[in-house]
Amino acid sequence: MFQSRLLAPLRALDRSSRTSLPSAFRTITTTTTTRINTTTLRTPSSLLTTTLTKPTLPQTSFPNIQIRHASHATQGTANRHSRDPAGKRLGAKRTAGEYVVPGCIIFRQRGTKWFPGENCAMGRDHTIYAAQAGYVRYYLDPERHSERKYIGVVFEKDGKLPVPRNAPSRRKLGRVKVRFEVEGEEGVKGGKGDLVAKVGEEGTVVGSVGKVEIQQSEELQLRPGYMYREANWVIGRAAEKAGITAKVYNRKNRWLAWRKRTAKAERAAQMKSLKSKKKGAKKAKK
């Protein structure tokens, strides 16, 4: 029974060794199989010892041994190149001499490499844009700053920046900054008072009226919005008119401080009890 079970694998091993193994190893396997067939199959103990013993193989190279190498790269390197963020499209959007309209972006930047000059403004992300319609100019202004570079807008195509010192800065429609002076203390162009518009049969007529001194009266006056109310300064001086004076606060008067503190605590407790009563009434209704 044991012999039929052991001979089949040993014969298969013998066939494979004859075809692939060297001649020295074939002799060793042949001697071991004949020895098992003649003597060792009778006793189980000798069978165990014979099967556990390994024959000494000669130091020869096996030609059929294959080595497995990695077929693809390690994990993680495939997404290495996708981490580079997209460009933010910084830099100049309009060249010098190009026509722009209000709100047109001229230069995008991170930080203040360029500063807003004449008729330009800067956004919160340091973007310089046009505040007026005109032509773009990149320039330096040593009188304002020795190292800063500015971007401005001029209204004429042949206009230059910076403007001369103390010269009025040009604005839209060719206007300049001029100091406005009133020709008389009483009004403009010799008038006597404010301008008032009247609507009549001929239409709306604008004329000037003399100043009217408003007399303060004790009665309540009709305020704008059709409500009767005194002026704020009148309300503020009511105590002074009535002759009421407040006592000077004394930090050392601890008796007065204790009374205020206890009154405040009692008021808080009273409000708390009222809230609890309201909650109890709502629960009872439900």
Side-chain angles (χ1 to χ4, degrees), residues 82-104:
S82 63
R83 295 176 186 173
D84 188 15
K88 300 299 180 275
R89 280 69 176 170
L90 304 179
K93 306 301 177 185
R94 295 291 182 270
T95 59
E98 193 170 352
Y99 184 78
V100 292
V101 296
C104 183

Side-chain angles (χ1 to χ4, degrees), residues 209-236:
V209 295
K211 293 184 178 180
V212 179
E213 295 291 338
I214 301 174
Q215 298 180 358
Q216 183 182 358
S217 61
E218 299 295 335
E219 299 179 359
L220 295 175
Q221 297 180 1
L222 184 64
R223 305 287 294 173
Y226 303 98
M227 59 182 180
Y228 289 97
R229 182 180 179 276
E230 294 181 350
N232 290 336
W233 66 273
V234 177
I235 297 172

Side-chain angles (χ1 to χ4, degrees), residues 14 17-18 20-32 55-60 62:
D14 189 16
S17 63
R18 287 177 184 176
S20 60
L21 297 179
S23 60
F25 189 64
R26 287 182 207 163
T27 57
I28 294 171
T29 55
T30 307
T31 54
T32 53
T56 57
L57 299 177
Q59 298 295 328
T60 57
F62 297 95

Side-chain angles (χ1 to χ4, degrees), residues 4-279:
S4 61
R5 290 183 181 179
L6 288 172
L7 286 178
L10 288 174
R11 286 171 184 170
L13 180 62
D14 189 16
R15 291 194 199 96
S16 61
S17 63
R18 287 177 184 176
T19 56
S20 60
L21 297 179
S23 60
F25 189 64
R26 287 182 207 163
T27 57
I28 294 171
T29 55
T30 307
T31 54
T32 53
T33 53
T34 54
R35 193 177 304 160
I36 290 169
N37 293 334
T38 55
T39 59
T40 59
L41 292 176
R42 298 175 182 175
T43 56
S45 60
S46 61
L47 176 63
L48 292 174
T49 56
T50 308
T51 55
L52 291 174
T53 56
K54 295 181 180 179
T56 57
L57 299 177
Q59 298 295 328
T60 57
S61 60
F62 297 95
N64 295 330
I65 296 176
Q66 296 181 358
I67 301 174
R68 172 72 175 175
H69 295 281
S71 58
H72 59 83
T74 57
Q75 187 178 2
T77 56
N79 299 327
R80 178 177 59 189
H81 303 290
S82 63
R83 295 176 186 173
D84 188 15
K88 300 299 180 275
R89 280 69 176 170
L90 304 179
K93 306 301 177 185
R94 295 291 182 270
T95 59
E98 193 170 352
Y99 184 78
V100 292
V101 296
C104 183
I105 294 174
I106 302 174
F107 202 94
R108 281 195 178 277
Q109 59 184 345
R110 291 292 179 266
T112 52
K113 297 178 181 178
W114 293 86
F115 286 82
E118 198 74 19
N119 301 320
C120 283
M122 181 185 291
R124 62 180 183 181
D125 60 344
H126 307 105
T127 298
I128 297 176
Y129 61 93
Q132 298 290 343
Y135 301 91
V136 180
R137 291 288 184 273
Y138 295 84
Y139 64 97
L140 297 173
D141 193 354
E143 293 186 356
R144 292 178 64 182
H145 200 278
S146 59
E147 298 178 356
R148 288 183 178 179
K149 299 180 289 184
Y150 294 93
I151 300 175
V153 172
V154 293
F155 300 110
E156 297 84 8
K157 196 161 188 177
D158 55 349
K160 295 182 180 180
L161 289 176
V163 294
R165 189 174 184 181
N166 297 328
S169 59
R170 294 289 305 276
R171 289 292 180 266
K172 197 174 182 180
L173 304 177
R175 298 178 181 179
V176 296
K177 289 183 178 179
V178 180
R179 185 178 178 183
F180 181 76
E181 296 180 357
V182 182
E183 295 183 2
E185 295 181 359
E186 296 181 354
V188 182
K189 296 182 181 181
K192 297 182 179 180
D194 300 331
L195 297 178
V196 177
K198 296 181 180 179
V199 181
E201 296 179 356
E202 299 178 356
T204 304
V205 180
V206 180
S208 60
V209 295
K211 293 184 178 180
V212 179
E213 295 291 338
I214 301 174
Q215 298 180 358
Q216 183 182 358
S217 61
E218 299 295 335
E219 299 179 359
L220 295 175
Q221 297 180 1
L222 184 64
R223 305 287 294 173
Y226 303 98
M227 59 182 180
Y228 289 97
R229 182 180 179 276
E230 294 181 350
N232 290 336
W233 66 273
V234 177
I235 297 172
R237 298 186 65 180
E240 184 181 351
K241 288 182 179 180
I244 300 172
T245 56
K247 294 182 181 180
V248 180
Y249 177 71
N250 185 10
R251 295 181 62 186
K252 296 182 179 180
N253 190 354
R254 305 311 304 164
W255 169 249
L256 181 62
W258 177 82
R259 284 196 301 168
K260 288 183 177 181
R261 189 166 60 250
T262 52
K264 187 176 180 181
E266 289 176 0
R267 179 65 179 169
Q270 185 179 0
M271 295 299 295
K272 190 175 180 180
S273 63
L274 290 174
K275 286 182 180 179
S276 62
K277 287 180 181 179
K278 287 181 180 180
K279 289 182 180 179

